[in-house]
């Protein structure tokens, strides 16, 4: 099939590359000419395992092309996916102006049947606004071209997005036209040969499914973080509690890990957008708002533990921080807990040495080179002369360190484990003072 993707950000680029890999002819459109020029030479603007290979191979085969010409994109594809950003507004609502700009571009060129698909995460009703925008543009031109609109929200996990797209656990399609439904089935047929994972529903339900899914996962994270605080208070161990409740098949083990709070491009934005949507509908978002409040509080927990350990005075204290990205296998720093922590620590007078396998350049662009912030080339270099190790992101490179080497590198044997990655008993036996999130430390 001939497919056009409007937007070459995280969702658009993964979607385009994966469709091309499965034999479709894909044209990706973006207004950023510099980005398009880089993509045409094989330079990938984001870090996502496996994506660079997919893009380069399919560009070479001619299955995947890039352009800034919106009209060419409309001519090319029978399926036109809108995958542009929907950044949060000041009130928490999702800003859909870029989505509607693409709709205007499509409407200004439309002269034959197309299916226009919202792949971006958008508030309920946006796909109908896209339909109305298309109709208005056709009316301006006295054109009567036929089209259908579809909601097809993405469910990609950063760090595993290619795998998620190639082997989806579900494909949600909000559609009210049989012709469009059959075309979407054809587009996704090669991804679901072993088992039909396409779930068809009305457009409004599809849009809300995306928000409900992310808000529910965020709720599990915030719930476990709250239980971890209680465990710290009463002397329980959140890891044992996780195993105890996760063994219940009605609950399961996924997203039951306490930590330093969620970040990234989806959960924070989508939770706030859902709060705004519920208020707009005349509802009080009791649960979802509590999730958001808990997460804001959680991003300060590690700082509080560090400050308490050092007697409330952090001036001159050197801390080696492992991990900057909001999660492993990505360079995404949007709402990353590490940034809050570093800024709070430096404001309190601490000296910071940081390391991350993928997010150093992005963090440097955000934080700069203030006095007292050192960018380390290796995990061990980040600990040289440090008074404590602070783990913020659970990258595989940090999972099994040489503790004897760390003990001789640090000035004092203290570990703040923001992801409960390490065994408190083992570290205690090795002579370390250990602080986790809701972990019970052996006496």
């Amino acid at each position: 099939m001939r497919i056009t993707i409007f937007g070459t950000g995280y969702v658009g680029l993964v979607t385009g590359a994966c469709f091309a890999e499965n034999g479709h002819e894909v044209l990706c459109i973006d207004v950023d000419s510099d980005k398009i020029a880089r993509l045409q030479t094989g330079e990938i603007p984001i870090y996502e395992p496996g994506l660079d290979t997919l893009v380069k191979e399919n560009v070479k085969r001619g299955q995947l092309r890039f352009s800034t010409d919106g009209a060419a994109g409309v001519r090319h594809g029978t399926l036109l996916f809108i995958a542009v950003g929907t950044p949060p507004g000041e009130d928490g609502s999702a800003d859909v102006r870029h989505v509607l700009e693409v709709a205007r571009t499509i409407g200004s060129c439309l002269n034959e049947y197309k299916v226009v698909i919202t792949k971006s995460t958008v508030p309920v009703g946006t796909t109908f606004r896209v339909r109305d925008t298309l109709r208005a543009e056709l009316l301006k031109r006295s054109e009567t071209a036929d089209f259908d609109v579809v909601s097809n929200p993405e469910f990609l996990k950063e760090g595993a997005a290619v795998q998620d797209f190639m082997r989806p656990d579900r494909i949600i399609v909000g559609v009210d036209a049989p012709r469009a439904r059959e075309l979407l089935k054809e587009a996704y047929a090669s991804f679901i040969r072993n088992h039909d994972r396409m779930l068809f529903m009305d457009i409004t339900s599809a849009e809300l499914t995306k928000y409900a899914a992310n808000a529910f996962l965020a709720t599990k994270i915030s719930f476990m973080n709250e239980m971890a605080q209680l465990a710290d208070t009463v002397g329980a161990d959140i890891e044992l509690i996780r195993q105890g409740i996760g063994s219940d098949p009605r609950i399961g083990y996924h997203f039951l890990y306490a930590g330093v709070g969620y970040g990234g491009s989806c959960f924070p934005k989508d939770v706030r957008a859902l709060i705004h949507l519920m208020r707009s509908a005349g509802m009080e978002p009791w649960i979802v708002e509590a999730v958001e409040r808990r997460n804001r509080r959680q991003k300060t927990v590690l700082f509080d533990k560090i400050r308490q350990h050092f007697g409330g005075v952090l001036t001159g204290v050197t801390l080696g921080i492992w991990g900057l990205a909001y999660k492993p296998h990505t360079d995404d720093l949007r709402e990353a807990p590490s940034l809050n922590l570093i800024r709070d620590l430096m404001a309190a007078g601490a000296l910071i040495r940081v390391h991350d396998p993928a997010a150093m350049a992005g963090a440097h662009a955000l934080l700069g080179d203030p006095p007292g912030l050192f960018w380390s080339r290796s995990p061990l270099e980040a600990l040289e002369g440090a008074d404590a190790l602070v783990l913020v992101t659970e990258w595989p490179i940090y999972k099994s360190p040489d503790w004897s080497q760390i003990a001789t590198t640090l000035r004092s044997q203290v570990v703040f484990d923001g992801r409960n990655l390490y065994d408190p008993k083992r570290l205690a036996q090795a002579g370390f003072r250990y602080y986790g999130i809701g972990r019970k430390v052996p006496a």
Side-chain angles (χ1 to χ4, degrees), residues 84-142:
V84 294
T86 53
E90 291 184 5
D91 60 357
S93 63
D95 184 349
V96 299
R97 74 184 127 168
H98 300 308
V99 173
L100 298 180
E101 284 173 7
V102 173
R104 282 190 283 273
T105 296
I106 295 171
S108 67
C109 306
L110 199 61
N111 57 17
E112 60 180 331
Y113 179 77
K114 306 285 183 179
V115 182
V116 180
I117 304 139
T118 53
K119 177 62 84 171
S120 305
T121 301
V122 295
V124 170
T126 302
T127 303
F128 292 136
R129 292 181 66 186
V130 168
R131 178 197 61 192
D132 294 343
T133 301
L134 293 168
R135 287 174 175 171
E137 290 298 320
L138 289 171
L139 186 61
K140 285 181 187 177
R141 299 162 46 223
S142 300

Side-chain angles (χ1 to χ4, degrees), residues 53-270:
T53 301
L54 276 190
V55 171
K56 290 173 184 176
E57 288 182 352
N58 283 286
V59 167
K60 185 176 180 180
R61 289 165 46 204
Q63 295 292 132
L64 179 62
R65 296 184 293 117
F66 299 95
S67 175
T68 58
D69 188 344
V74 176
R75 291 192 300 270
H76 169 83
T78 302
L79 303 183
L80 310 178
F81 285 86
I82 301 178
V84 294
T86 53
E90 291 184 5
D91 60 357
S93 63
D95 184 349
V96 299
R97 74 184 127 168
H98 300 308
V99 173
L100 298 180
E101 284 173 7
V102 173
R104 282 190 283 273
T105 296
I106 295 171
S108 67
C109 306
L110 199 61
N111 57 17
E112 60 180 331
Y113 179 77
K114 306 285 183 179
V115 182
V116 180
I117 304 139
T118 53
K119 177 62 84 171
S120 305
T121 301
V122 295
V124 170
T126 302
T127 303
F128 292 136
R129 292 181 66 186
V130 168
R131 178 197 61 192
D132 294 343
T133 301
L134 293 168
R135 287 174 175 171
E137 290 298 320
L138 289 171
L139 186 61
K140 285 181 187 177
R141 299 162 46 223
S142 300
E143 179 64 64
T144 58
D146 193 16
F147 68 89
D148 286 310
V149 293
V150 171
S151 172
N152 176 217
E154 55 86 15
F155 293 92
L156 306 177
K157 298 187 297 291
E158 291 195 41
V162 171
Q163 180 180 345
D164 286 347
F165 200 101
M166 300 297 279
R167 296 186 177 183
D169 49 21
R170 83 285 209 195
I171 300 169
I172 303 294
V173 179
V175 60
D176 55 14
R179 185 178 181 185
R181 174 178 173 138
E182 291 306 309
L183 286 169
L184 265 293
K185 285 178 68 176
E186 182 180 348
Y188 281 110
S190 58
F191 298 93
I192 55 173
R193 291 197 185 280
N194 293 333
H195 179 66
D196 187 357
R197 295 177 173 86
M198 295 192 78
L199 299 176
F200 291 98
M201 58 186 70
D202 63 273
I203 288 172
T204 302
S205 295
E207 290 174 331
L208 187 51
T209 294
K210 169 64 176 182
Y211 281 112
N214 278 355
F216 183 73
L217 295 174
T219 299
K220 294 182 76 173
I221 295 171
S222 283
F223 177 81
M224 289 304 290
N225 283 333
E226 193 151 290
M227 290 301 101
Q229 183 179 5
L230 180 59
D232 268 339
T233 303
V234 302
D237 191 329
I238 194 63
E239 175 60 18
L240 300 178
I241 296 166
R242 182 189 71 82
Q243 294 173 24
I245 66 175
S247 59
D248 185 333
R250 297 171 300 174
I251 297 173
Y253 289 102
H254 295 298
F255 285 82
L256 291 187
Y257 292 93
V260 290
Y262 58 76
S265 63
C266 294
F267 285 7
K269 176 174 72 74
D270 292 352

Side-chain angles (χ1 to χ4, degrees), residues 315-327:
T315 302
V317 172
T318 300
L319 299 165
I321 293 181
W322 282 0
L324 295 166
Y326 87 95
K327 62 181 281 189

